[in-house]
PDB file of all heavy atoms in Angstrom:
ATOM      1  N   LEU B  74      99.782  88.183 103.925  1.00  0.00           N
ATOM      2  CA  LEU B  74      98.455  88.438 104.508  1.00  0.00           C
ATOM      3  C   LEU B  74      97.528  88.771 103.346  1.00  0.00           C
ATOM      4  O   LEU B  74      97.908  89.530 102.445  1.00  0.00           O
ATOM      5  CB  LEU B  74      98.549  89.580 105.501  1.00  0.00           C
ATOM      6  CG  LEU B  74      97.279  90.144 106.128  1.00  0.00           C
ATOM      7  CD1 LEU B  74      97.584  90.628 107.545  1.00  0.00           C
ATOM      8  CD2 LEU B  74      96.764  91.336 105.325  1.00  0.00           C
ATOM      9  N   ASP B  75      96.336  88.198 103.334  1.00  0.00           N
ATOM     10  CA  ASP B  75      95.355  88.582 102.332  1.00  0.00           C
ATOM     11  C   ASP B  75      94.494  89.676 102.914  1.00  0.00           C
ATOM     12  O   ASP B  75      94.299  89.767 104.117  1.00  0.00           O
ATOM     13  CB  ASP B  75      94.461  87.373 101.974  1.00  0.00           C
ATOM     14  CG  ASP B  75      95.187  86.361 101.113  1.00  0.00           C
ATOM     15  OD1 ASP B  75      95.649  86.736 100.018  1.00  0.00           O
ATOM     16  OD2 ASP B  75      95.311  85.211 101.536  1.00  0.00           O
ATOM     17  N   SER B  76      93.927  90.498 102.053  1.00  0.00           N
ATOM     18  CA  SER B  76      93.166  91.644 102.533  1.00  0.00           C
ATOM     19  C   SER B  76      91.727  91.294 102.890  1.00  0.00           C
ATOM     20  O   SER B  76      90.952  92.156 103.260  1.00  0.00           O
ATOM     21  CB  SER B  76      93.171  92.749 101.465  1.00  0.00           C
ATOM     22  OG  SER B  76      92.557  92.272 100.291  1.00  0.00           O
ATOM     23  N   SER B  88      93.820  88.561 108.525  1.00  0.00           N
ATOM     24  CA  SER B  88      94.621  89.333 109.500  1.00  0.00           C
ATOM     25  C   SER B  88      94.286  88.944 110.951  1.00  0.00           C
ATOM     26  O   SER B  88      95.194  88.819 111.767  1.00  0.00           O
ATOM     27  CB  SER B  88      94.387  90.834 109.291  1.00  0.00           C
ATOM     28  OG  SER B  88      93.010  91.141 109.425  1.00  0.00           O
ATOM     29  N   ALA B 115      94.830  97.419 100.439  1.00  0.00           N
ATOM     30  CA  ALA B 115      93.823  96.805 101.335  1.00  0.00           C
ATOM     31  C   ALA B 115      94.493  95.948 102.410  1.00  0.00           C
ATOM     32  O   ALA B 115      94.009  95.874 103.544  1.00  0.00           O
ATOM     33  CB  ALA B 115      92.805  96.001 100.531  1.00  0.00           C
ATOM     34  N   SER B 116      95.575  95.282 102.060  1.00  0.00           N
ATOM     35  CA  SER B 116      96.294  94.437 103.023  1.00  0.00           C
ATOM     36  C   SER B 116      96.924  95.288 104.124  1.00  0.00           C
ATOM     37  O   SER B 116      96.914  94.905 105.304  1.00  0.00           O
ATOM     38  CB  SER B 116      97.360  93.601 102.337  1.00  0.00           C
ATOM     39  OG  SER B 116      96.767  92.676 101.462  1.00  0.00           O
ATOM     40  N   VAL B 117      97.514  96.407 103.731  1.00  0.00           N
ATOM     41  CA  VAL B 117      98.106  97.304 104.741  1.00  0.00           C
ATOM     42  C   VAL B 117      97.011  97.799 105.685  1.00  0.00           C
ATOM     43  O   VAL B 117      97.174  97.787 106.925  1.00  0.00           O
ATOM     44  CB  VAL B 117      98.816  98.503 104.048  1.00  0.00           C
ATOM     45  CG1 VAL B 117      99.195  99.571 105.083  1.00  0.00           C
ATOM     46  CG2 VAL B 117     100.054  98.032 103.304  1.00  0.00           C
ATOM     47  N   GLN B 118      95.857  98.163 105.125  1.00  0.00           N
ATOM     48  CA  GLN B 118      94.776  98.633 105.989  1.00  0.00           C
ATOM     49  C   GLN B 118      94.249  97.527 106.893  1.00  0.00           C
ATOM     50  O   GLN B 118      93.999  97.747 108.098  1.00  0.00           O
ATOM     51  CB  GLN B 118      93.595  99.158 105.119  1.00  0.00           C
ATOM     52  CG  GLN B 118      93.945 100.369 104.234  1.00  0.00           C
ATOM     53  CD  GLN B 118      94.721 101.440 104.944  1.00  0.00           C
ATOM     54  OE1 GLN B 118      94.370 101.823 106.058  1.00  0.00           O
ATOM     55  NE2 GLN B 118      95.832 101.901 104.357  1.00  0.00           N
ATOM     56  N   ALA B 119      94.099  96.312 106.347  1.00  0.00           N
ATOM     57  CA  ALA B 119      93.588  95.179 107.132  1.00  0.00           C
ATOM     58  C   ALA B 119      94.580  94.839 108.272  1.00  0.00           C
ATOM     59  O   ALA B 119      94.168  94.563 109.407  1.00  0.00           O
ATOM     60  CB  ALA B 119      93.391  93.958 106.240  1.00  0.00           C
ATOM     61  N   ALA B 120      95.869  94.880 107.973  1.00  0.00           N
ATOM     62  CA  ALA B 120      96.877  94.587 108.991  1.00  0.00           C
ATOM     63  C   ALA B 120      96.829  95.624 110.108  1.00  0.00           C
ATOM     64  O   ALA B 120      96.828  95.287 111.278  1.00  0.00           O
ATOM     65  CB  ALA B 120      98.272  94.518 108.349  1.00  0.00           C
ATOM     66  N   LYS B 121      96.783  96.895 109.713  1.00  0.00           N
ATOM     67  CA  LYS B 121      96.734  97.967 110.729  1.00  0.00           C
ATOM     68  C   LYS B 121      95.537  97.817 111.628  1.00  0.00           C
ATOM     69  O   LYS B 121      95.634  97.970 112.854  1.00  0.00           O
ATOM     70  CB  LYS B 121      96.673  99.343 110.018  1.00  0.00           C
ATOM     71  CG  LYS B 121      97.985  99.760 109.426  1.00  0.00           C
ATOM     72  CD  LYS B 121      97.892 101.204 108.901  1.00  0.00           C
ATOM     73  CE  LYS B 121      99.230 101.633 108.315  1.00  0.00           C
ATOM     74  NZ  LYS B 121      99.198 103.014 107.841  1.00  0.00           N
ATOM     75  N   LYS B 122      94.394  97.504 111.003  1.00  0.00           N
ATOM     76  CA  LYS B 122      93.149  97.370 111.771  1.00  0.00           C
ATOM     77  C   LYS B 122      93.276  96.230 112.800  1.00  0.00           C
ATOM     78  O   LYS B 122      92.666  96.285 113.865  1.00  0.00           O
ATOM     79  CB  LYS B 122      92.024  97.074 110.789  1.00  0.00           C
ATOM     80  CG  LYS B 122      90.658  97.581 111.230  1.00  0.00           C
ATOM     81  CD  LYS B 122      89.628  97.387 110.127  1.00  0.00           C
ATOM     82  CE  LYS B 122      88.284  96.961 110.699  1.00  0.00           C
ATOM     83  NZ  LYS B 122      87.333  96.552 109.648  1.00  0.00           N
ATOM     84  N   SER B 123      94.073  95.218 112.445  1.00  0.00           N
ATOM     85  CA  SER B 123      94.253  94.072 113.372  1.00  0.00           C
ATOM     86  C   SER B 123      95.442  94.275 114.269  1.00  0.00           C
ATOM     87  O   SER B 123      95.799  93.374 115.022  1.00  0.00           O
ATOM     88  CB  SER B 123      94.411  92.781 112.588  1.00  0.00           C
ATOM     89  OG  SER B 123      93.198  92.462 111.914  1.00  0.00           O
TER      90      SER B 123
END
Side-chain angles (χ1 to χ4, degrees):
Chain B
L74 173 147
D75 287 302
S76 61
S88 58
S116 294
V117 169
Q118 298 314 314
K121 285 187 180 182
K122 210 174 141 189
S123 294

